[in-house]
Structures are given as C-alpha cells and as structure tokens.
Amino acid sequence: MIRIEPRENPSRAFAVGIPILSAVISLALAAIPLLAAGANPITAYGEMIRGVFGSVFALSEMLTRATPLIFTGLAAALAFRAKLWNIGAEGQLYLGAMAVVAIGSGYLDAPGFVLLPLIILLGAGAGAAGMMAPTYLKVRFGADEVVTTLLLNFIILIFLQMMLEGPLQDPMGLGWPQSAPVLDQGMLPPLMERMRVHSGLIIALVLAGIAQFMLARSVWGFKLRAVGENAAAARHAGINVNRSLFGVAAISGALAGLAGVSEVAGLKGYLTSDLSPGFGYTGIVVAMLAGLSPVGVVVAALFIASVFVGADSMSRAMGVSSFLADLVVSMSLLCVLVGGFLAKYRILRTKEVAS
Amino acid sequence: MAEGSAFAPTLFPMTNSTVLRLNGLSKRFGPVVANDDVSLTLAKGEVLALLGENGAGKTTLMNMLFGHYLPDAGSVEVADENGVLQSLPLGHPQAALAAGVGMVHQHFALAENINALDNITLGSEPLLALRRNRQAARSKIEGIIERSGLKAPLNTPVGRLSVGERQRVEILKALYRDARILVLDEPTAVLTPQEADTLFENIKAMTREGLSVIFISHKLREVLAFSDRIAVLRHGRKVGEMATADADEKAIARMMVGADTPKVARTEMAPGGPVLNLTEVSVAGRSKRDTLKGVDLTVRAHEILGIAGISGNGQSALANVISGLAAPSAGHVQVDGIEVAKPSPAAMVKAGIGRIPEDRHHEGIVGAMSVAENMVIERLDDPEVQSRGLLRRDAIRDNAERLTQAYDVRGPGVAASSRLLSGGNIQKLILARVFERAPRLILANQPTRGLDMGAAAEVGRRLLEARERGAGVVLISEDLDEILGLADRIMVIRDGNLVEAGSHDREKIGLMMAGEPA
C-alpha cells in the first residue's frame, strides 16, 4: 500500500533544490527524443539557451510570451487558493480582448489618457463578468464550476467567431474574420524600441506584487485562504463564504481578461480567433508550478515562456520538427510538476498490517 | 460449498457450541481507549444484543472483528464449518468474510442502479470469470429467502426499493456469502416499527436454522424483546452481561449510562436573567439529526443547561440554530431578550455567543492556517486585529502568544499550522478563542469527545468558570456523566423534541433518552 502525506516544514534547500533537480532531469529525458531525431542534445540545449538569453531580442520575445502567462497564472492561482476551480481563463481572456476592440477600435475616439484606462477597465470587467456567471451557478445551484467554466470557453470562442464575422469585423479587412485595429492612442506603449515586449508586463508584475501582499497581509486574503483551506470552518467562524467566492471570482476573471487586453492592446493591435495559443490553460500549469503563490507565478511564467521560446528557436536552428519542441516543453512541465509534488508530499510505503 | 446451504440445518446441526469468541480485545487511539479488554462469546443460534451509548466502543469492537482495525491486544476465534474454533487472522478484512462472519452496516453499501440480485452476487464472483452463472445464484438466493422469510424483489433496481427491503438485500448478501455469524449495526435505526418487527421475526427464523446474530442497538425495547443475551459496553469496557430473561430495563439503563460520581465539583448558584430564548423553534432538516420540532428552551445567566440524548436525535439542528449555521423554519431566537432577525454565524458571534463546535477539526479550525490566525478568525472586524483591511500581524501574534500561555495550548509555536496540534490542544485553542471574548452564552457541542481525561477536565473547569462569571451555557453531550456533573438543569432531546428532565436522576434520563416511558 502507498500512502501520501504532506511534508511538514520542508527545509529551504529541499524546497529550492527539488525544482532545480527536476528541471535537470527533464533536460536529460528530453535528450532521448532529440537523439532519436538525430540532433546532438548538447548543441540543442545550447541553441535553446541562446534562443532565450542570447540577445536582447530573444529576451524580449521570452518576456512577451511570459506576460499573458503571468496574468492567466495569477487568475488561476488566486481562484484555486479559494478552491474555486476556474478553468475558464481562456474564455475570459477572449472576453477581455473583445471588450478592447469593441471600444478601442474607433468606437470611442478619445485621447489616450482616457481611452487606455477605459480599455483596461472594460477588459478586466468583461473577464470578471465571465467568471461571475459560473460562480453564481455554483453558489446558487451547486453546478460544478470545473464543468461550467471549461464549457464556457467553447461558447465564448464560438461567440467570438460570430462577432469577428459580424459587428466586430474590420470593414477594411477584405472579409477576414478579424477586428479593426485598436487606435494608436489606445495601445499599451512598448518598453523598448523595435521590440515586442510592452508595458503589459509591468502591469502584470505590479499585480503579482499586489496579489502577493493582499493574500498574506489583508483581511480579504485571510478570508480567501480560510475559505479555500476549510470552508466549513470559515463559515462557522462567521466568514461570508459566498461573498469571498464572488470576490475572488471577479478578480480571477478580471486578471484573465487583462491577459486578453495585454495581448490585443499590447502586442497584436487587433483581434483574431487565434489570439491565444491556450494561454488560459497554460496559466493553470503556471499556477500549479508556482504552488499557487503570486510571486511564484511570475517565476513559473518566466520558466515556461523560456522553455516555449527556447524550444521553438532550437527546433528552427537545428532543423528538427517543431513537434519535438512541444515534446521538450511537455516533458519539462511534467518533471517539474512531479518534482513540485514530491517537494510538498512524501510517499510512504505502508506495510500490510501484520497478522 | 453446496448451493443454498447458507445456514441449512443439515450442514450446521443445532448444538449449543460456541461459534465466536473475542478474547480480551483492546484498542487505543492515541490517548483514547476505545476498547479495554473486551471478551465476548456467541453461541450457535443465539441472538446477542450489544448495548451501549454512542462512543461506548461497540463499533470499534466490531471493526476489530472485521479486520478494519488491528487490536492492540487480544484475539478472535471463529468456528469453522465443523464447529471447531479457529483463530482468526487479525487486521485482514477478507479473513472474517472467509470465516463466515457477515456484517450489515447502518448505512447500506448497495449500488442503486442495478437490481437486487446483482447487488447480492456482486463481489463474490471471480473477477475474470467469462460468464456468470446467474441461474445458480438466483436459485441459491431464492432458497435463502424461502427459509428466512427475507422477502425482497430480486429484479428491481435497488434505488426503487424501500429502506426495509434494502436492508433485507444487505442481509441476503451476507447470507449468500455463507455467513454463519451475522452482525447487524443498529438495524432498526432506519426502519418503521412494523418493518423492525418483521426483521426480528426473520432473524428468529434464521437463528432456528443455526445462524448466530450480534445486533448493536441502544433501543431497550427491542433488545429485551428479541435477544437471548445482552452485553453492555461503556467507555470501552464490558460492564455487564446477562441473559435477557433475567434482565430488567432499569438495570440495563443504569449499566449503559454508568454510575460514576461526577468528576468536576460544581457549586450551586442562583441563576440570573435569561440570555437565550428559543420559542417554538423548528428546523426542517433532511434527516432526523437535522430536524427540530418546535422546541422551547431558555438558558439563564449563571446556568449550565445540559442537553442529553442519543446521537442523531436533533442535536445537530439545535447546535446549528444556536451557532447561526441553520435558520429556523419557524419560531423565534432571542439573545439577551433581543430577537436575532437574520441568523448567521457572524450575527451570533456579534450577539455574544461563543461556539465550541462538535467537530473541532472540520468546523473549529482551519488546519492549514497558523495557530495565531485561528485565534482571531472570529473577529476579523476588530480594530485590534486589522486596520483599514490590513491585518495587524504583530498584534495577532502577541494575542496568540498571550492566549497560548493563558490556556496552556502546547504545540510548535503560534506561527505553525494549527493542524500540527493534538486534539486536546486544538480544543484549548478553540476554548481560548471563545472564552477570551467573554461571551454571554456558550454553546458547547460534544466539547470533550475524543479528549483525554486531563483535557476533558480542563473543558469542564472552563465552562464552570464562565458560568460563575455570569455566562449561560448550553452543553450538548452524549456523555451523560458529563452532563450530570456539569449541568444545573437537564433537558432530553429525542426525535427533534426537547423535554425537561426535571431532575438529575440518571435512570430516568437514560430511559427518556431511549424513548421509554419513565
């Protein structure tokens, strides 16, 4: 028989060492398919590192990729802390993105200091609304939010396609299902000349800091943690569990909506239905890797973005299939997740009771 | 074994031989002694009633027989097919089944969407059998039904059967597996009186064929009517055993509830004005334990009101109303003469009610949060705890340091997760949180359950101290000794009704608890 129990007070070295060790193991495992494809793993890893840190451009690409992951990672981490399983960040991301082009692509021609905050607020609000509805269904009818938020993703995506071929379609777009571009003054300013990394990253980092602080230091965070760890005790102690759930639902949805704002108003400038290559779902992995800690989300998002961007660049440089890059990404994620699990829990072999 | 031979007289001729013997079984859970040196024998064809209050150790004893728990000491012997006692390997759930001991739990383990026949045969077929011999199974079951009178429709999905029928299916399941000894855990708890009578008639029919039965109960009437012999457990020990023919109700009631002297000294004290009034309060619950039927209750200052009763008679509903977790479907709740308009846990805390919950791990603390945080979880609005929405962490830590000192909460420090504390120290943490706010009324629901003597005495001392200070106390407990020792006034809860006990007469209360006319 195997029993799993949480480790109490794991040592610092242990907590840091295990993730690093699992990253190393993942690289060793990923060498197998690379060898099979005829590539030299050492060179391949060299290319991977160069693809992320080899130039300012490479670094900028990695940070650009990490930005939406920080938003969606925070969205998942905060909701999961309250045991509210928001699997719908992907849909909420698109709700936020739709709000951006609905207001920012010429509907309202206001100066930037009006338009940009409005875009951000509306995008966050749209994402929040997208999470409030399933939370209401959960609280009122006991509908499992894993199911409702997950399925809402598909509804929202189809709704998006309808909008992109209808009211939101760019009249100048030659019939392509894409939105009109966001006005220049409605765009998040880039951080560097001729680079793609934009100020959405700054917003993400600031929000991660605020979330970390609020979770540990505020009454709101206290209630959130109590509700997540033991809802019955929280309720018994007089904490309004439903209010806490609605609060964190709104914030989680808003963060996912901001990922959409950041991608449209920070990077692409217009909206298509392939805006996100699954940032909402990857955000869940980011949050789990981070142990649901907001600051950890930043680190995990940087790690995952590095693996993505590095593996991509490696497959291009080495001339191996891009599927191999996906394989490397998946293996390293699995290794780090298993490692993270082992760092938090111990697995005991229990002897059968003696006769 | 031959088909249809579960308890066929030809295979098991009636003799007066012993079929089961428990020798000195003991089991401790940490500091709690669940069973202490319990020995029992069961003769062929005999019905043995195992009596005792909740927590007396009946279930633990049966769980050891069935291999769910490994006893700390003692052994079990079961007669084999030839009537020779064989030692049963302990700690192996399959061993008891293989030796012919079957159990029917209070909560049935049936799959609702498949029919009774399949439920009965489920699990006793080889996993990898290519086809099932359903006809043979059916005729074997029909044989059992004919001899025992346990009528159950075999082709109907179990979900559509009545509770009584489901229970018969459970018993048939045990008999189908050739049980020679049947253990029934509170078999009549869910039955109507008519169903109960039928069940006992069936049991009688089966014992005539050589089946031996242990049934766990705390209902005196049916025990006296249907058993051959009675064994009484109390605080984990066997305190009495007698032939039913020689037993009388009063003697059994006394044995069940015990005759110990109260442990905590209580001095008489004149009560003050009312602090809690329940008027005609009803709770429409989904089960008996969550239901109240128009109860009236008054607790005054300087008074401990003990609520005695067998578990599941509405104690949960009463506690939930007082702690704000359940809104009454009818009636009025007044604290200090003021009607509580919208009951909620927060409103009750604000009205000055301190709550010691029944399940301290589940409702009392958030195990993953620190001792210090759990100390303030009920007063997050307090300016001492927060200012402008931010936690005052130094004040929270100082508060916890002070309270852990004052209430002797021992553990790895106030910053450590509260789940690292022992049960007794968790209870002390809750006591500290409750008593520190000098509540007008204290609800203590099973406050000493699972605690060792020291921690239990501490709880009693604190409750008496609060009473002296002028608080009213509602003490809900299944431990009658505790109520007799602490309470100034006693009410008995039964089937969602509260009645004044009128005295501290142990026997009378024991009978009221069991629902017998005193």
Side-chain angles (χ1 to χ4, degrees):
Chain A
M1 292 248 283
I2 286 177
R3 200 152 49 90
I4 293 168
E5 59 180 41
R7 290 179 196 273
E8 293 297 347
N9 308 318
S11 76
R12 203 85 190 159
F14 199 71
V16 177
I18 287 263
I20 292 175
L21 185 67
S22 37
V24 171
I25 291 175
S26 76
L27 288 182
L29 282 177
I32 299 170
L34 283 173
L35 279 172
N40 178 349
I42 307 285
T43 333
Y45 291 140
E47 286 297 333
M48 247 181 104
I49 291 167
R50 192 155 1 153
V52 180
F53 303 105
S55 64
V56 177
F57 174 76
L59 200 61
S60 155
E61 283 304 294
M62 187 274 279
L63 293 174
T64 308
R65 182 64 85 94
T67 303
L69 292 180
I70 297 176
F71 282 117
T72 55
L74 287 175
L78 287 180
F80 288 8
R81 281 298 275 269
K83 297 249 158 63
L84 181 69
W85 306 110
N86 179 8
I87 313 297
E90 186 77 4
Q92 291 142 24
L93 180 153
Y94 278 116
L95 287 178
M98 275 190 272
V100 172
V101 293
I103 191 88
S105 300
Y107 178 81
L108 183 70
D109 193 359
F113 68 89
V114 176
L115 187 59
L116 192 52
L118 200 62
I119 280 176
I120 293 174
L121 278 178
L122 280 175
M131 188 54 205
M132 293 294 269
T135 308
Y136 176 77
L137 294 178
K138 172 192 171 76
V139 166
R140 181 73 181 76
F141 302 108
D144 190 335
E145 74 278 18
V146 173
V147 177
T148 52
T149 55
L150 179 65
L151 294 183
L152 258 181
N153 287 341
F154 302 107
I155 296 172
I156 291 169
L157 197 62
I158 292 167
F159 177 68
L160 168 76
Q161 284 159 1
M162 184 185 95
M163 295 303 278
L164 286 180
E165 291 181 32
L168 288 182
Q169 191 172 33
D170 184 358
M172 314 294 281
L174 304 170
W176 286 101
Q178 72 177 46
S179 78
V182 177
L183 300 180
D184 279 348
Q185 72 267 32
M187 291 291 287
L188 289 161
L191 288 181
M192 282 186 283
E193 281 294 306
R194 293 195 313 274
M195 295 290 163
R196 299 211 300 167
V197 61
H198 55 89
S199 42
L201 176 65
I202 305 297
I203 300 176
L205 293 177
V206 169
L207 288 177
I210 293 176
Q212 181 79 21
F213 178 82
M214 292 298 278
L215 210 48
R217 304 289 290 271
S218 73
V219 173
W220 176 82
F222 185 113
K223 290 179 176 172
L224 182 73
R225 286 182 286 135
V227 167
E229 295 291 350
N230 185 346
R235 192 162 114 80
H236 186 270
I239 292 171
N240 189 329
V241 173
N242 289 351
R243 189 184 298 167
S244 274
L245 287 179
F246 279 122
V248 75
I251 288 169
S252 172
L255 285 163
L258 284 177
V261 172
S262 151
E263 285 299 283
V264 172
L267 190 61
K268 297 281 170 57
Y270 57 89
L271 176 57
T272 55
S273 61
D274 61 354
L275 175 75
S276 157
F279 286 133
Y281 301 110
T282 312
I284 295 168
V285 179
V286 169
M288 299 310 283
L289 267 182
L292 305 188
S293 134
V295 165
V297 161
V298 173
V299 178
L302 290 175
F303 169 75
I304 289 191
S306 302
V307 176
F308 270 129
V309 172
D312 255 1
S313 140
M314 178 269 288
S315 78
R316 264 180 278 122
M318 305 285 293
V320 295
S321 159
S322 65
F323 293 122
L324 217 52
D326 292 338
L327 197 59
V328 172
V329 171
S330 324
M331 288 176 108
S332 53
L333 286 184
L334 279 176
C335 281
V336 174
L337 280 174
V338 169
F341 178 80
L342 289 177
K344 260 190 261 167
Y345 299 92
R346 64 173 88 227
I347 295 177
L348 300 172
R349 288 183 76 100
T350 52
K351 290 227 170 69
E352 289 278 325
V353 274
S355 46
Chain B
M1 178 165 300
E3 210 169 86
S5 61
F7 41 89
T10 48
L11 263 178
F12 310 114
M14 273 290 283
T15 61
N16 216 11
S17 60
T18 303
V19 292
L20 174 70
R21 185 182 278 155
L22 309 182
N23 304 313
L25 286 176
S26 295
K27 181 72 186 171
R28 299 170 67 94
F29 297 104
V32 182
V33 181
N35 278 133
D36 185 9
D37 193 21
V38 179
S39 299
L40 279 180
T41 58
L42 181 66
K44 189 176 207 49
E46 184 184 36
V47 178
L48 172 69
L50 194 54
L51 264 171
E53 292 187 283
N54 275 80
K58 297 167 299 195
T59 308
T60 307
L61 189 64
M62 290 305 119
N63 277 332
M64 286 193 282
L65 168 60
F66 283 94
H68 300 308
Y69 294 146
L70 189 63
D72 297 330
S75 63
V76 177
E77 291 166 279
V78 182
D80 63 17
E81 286 158 33
N82 304 317
V84 181
L85 283 178
Q86 304 283 356
S87 158
L88 184 76
L90 296 172
H92 288 284
Q94 290 303 322
L97 288 176
V101 188
M103 176 142 190
V104 176
H105 289 275
Q106 208 174 339
H107 305 284
F108 307 143
L110 297 171
E112 301 215 336
N113 53 346
I114 63 175
N115 69 26
L117 177 73
D118 289 340
N119 261 293
I120 291 167
T121 55
L122 197 70
S124 47
E125 295 163 329
L127 194 62
L128 297 174
L130 287 176
R131 64 191 174 82
R132 301 183 303 166
N133 195 345
R134 294 190 69 180
Q135 204 40 54
R138 181 183 292 275
S139 57
K140 174 170 176 179
I141 295 166
E142 279 165 354
I144 299 171
I145 290 176
E146 193 172 322
R147 285 197 306 282
S148 64
L150 291 162
K151 289 198 178 58
L154 291 179
N155 299 324
T156 313
V158 163
R160 281 195 249 139
L161 301 186
S162 72
V163 179
E165 286 171 327
R166 288 183 203 205
Q167 186 174 52
R168 291 198 281 276
V169 172
E170 278 280 9
I171 297 173
L172 286 171
K173 193 161 95 182
L175 297 177
Y176 177 76
R177 293 170 192 195
D178 304 317
R180 295 185 295 274
I181 299 167
L182 192 60
V183 179
L184 301 161
D185 189 4
E186 302 205 13
T188 59
V190 290
L191 300 184
T192 64
Q194 292 79 3
E195 280 176 326
D197 288 345
T198 314
L199 171 69
F200 283 113
E201 277 161 27
N202 297 336
I203 289 176
K204 281 288 175 198
M206 291 185 282
T207 52
R208 275 193 293 274
E209 300 222 7
L211 187 79
S212 309
V213 174
I214 298 179
F215 82 93
I216 297 174
S217 180
H218 41 231
K219 292 183 183 164
L220 297 183
R221 186 185 61 89
E222 64 193 33
V223 165
L224 288 168
F226 296 105
S227 69
D228 300 316
R229 205 153 49 87
I230 298 172
V232 182
L233 288 188
R234 186 162 159 267
H235 291 335
R237 279 188 292 276
K238 191 173 80 177
V239 292
E241 194 175 349
M242 72 209 82
T244 309
D246 307 334
D248 77 296
E249 225 165 281
K250 282 192 177 168
I252 304 174
R254 194 183 310 120
M255 241 183 243
M256 267 174 80
V257 296
D260 294 359
T261 46
K263 295 172 204 90
V264 189
R266 182 175 58 90
T267 50
E268 290 302 320
M269 191 176 267
V275 289
L276 174 73
N277 271 313
L278 303 188
T279 319
E280 284 289 310
V281 167
S282 294
V283 176
R286 262 176 294 182
S287 64
K288 196 170 127 190
R289 53 179 290 122
D290 299 322
T291 301
L292 278 188
K293 300 171 184 169
V295 302
D296 293 305
L297 171 156
T298 302
V299 190
R300 295 166 293 181
H302 295 295
E303 182 181 58
I304 296 182
L305 171 66
I307 308 286
I310 294 162
S311 115
N313 271 288
Q315 287 95 329
S316 297
L318 180 63
N320 285 345
V321 164
I322 299 176
S323 59
L325 287 169
S329 48
H332 301 278
V333 180
Q334 291 178 318
V335 181
D336 265 334
I338 301 161
E339 177 96 15
V340 182
K342 278 188 77 180
S344 73
M348 291 306 193
V349 170
K350 210 165 171 205
I353 299 182
R355 294 102 22 92
I356 302 172
E358 172 177 15
D359 185 340
R360 62 186 77 98
H361 293 95
H362 184 58
E363 290 198 314
I365 61 159
V366 180
M369 292 174 77
S370 72
V371 172
E373 287 179 313
N374 274 287
M375 291 267 193
V376 296
I377 192 168
E378 286 187 337
R379 50 189 192 112
L380 292 172
D381 295 338
D382 192 332
E384 200 194 309
V385 173
Q386 54 94 26
S387 77
R388 278 181 265 162
L390 293 183
L391 299 166
R392 297 179 58 186
R393 298 207 295 183
D394 292 347
I396 291 172
R397 196 194 54 234
D398 292 346
N399 171 69
E401 295 285 1
R402 188 170 55 78
L403 290 182
T404 46
Q405 281 277 305
Y407 288 81
D408 191 30
V409 183
R410 290 181 207 174
V414 298
S417 302
S418 55
R419 79 156 77 88
L420 297 177
L421 301 182
S422 70
N425 281 300
I426 287 175
Q427 193 70 327
K428 286 187 202 163
L429 188 166
I430 294 169
L431 291 180
R433 182 171 83 198
V434 166
F435 288 101
E436 200 47 25
R437 293 175 50 255
R440 297 284 298 129
L441 178 88
I442 293 156
L443 166 71
N445 192 1
Q446 318 292 353
T448 62
R449 180 189 280 170
L451 298 187
D452 60 57
M453 300 287 280
E458 170 73 10
V459 172
R461 202 174 59 75
R462 294 279 178 190
L463 289 178
L464 287 173
E465 215 173 80
R467 158 185 178 261
E468 228 147 89
R469 183 175 50 71
V473 178
V474 178
L475 170 65
I476 301 177
S477 179
E478 284 151 23
D479 183 350
L480 193 51
D481 287 334
E482 178 173 76
I483 288 184
L484 291 170
L486 292 173
D488 299 291
R489 198 154 56 82
I490 297 174
M491 295 179 93
V492 174
I493 190 163
R494 200 186 129 66
D495 211 5
N497 292 301
L498 264 181
V499 277
E500 200 81 41
S503 73
H504 276 48
D505 182 338
R506 185 189 306 269
E507 259 173 52
K508 186 179 153 202
I509 294 171
L511 289 173
M512 287 172 80
M513 283 162 60
E516 310 290 328

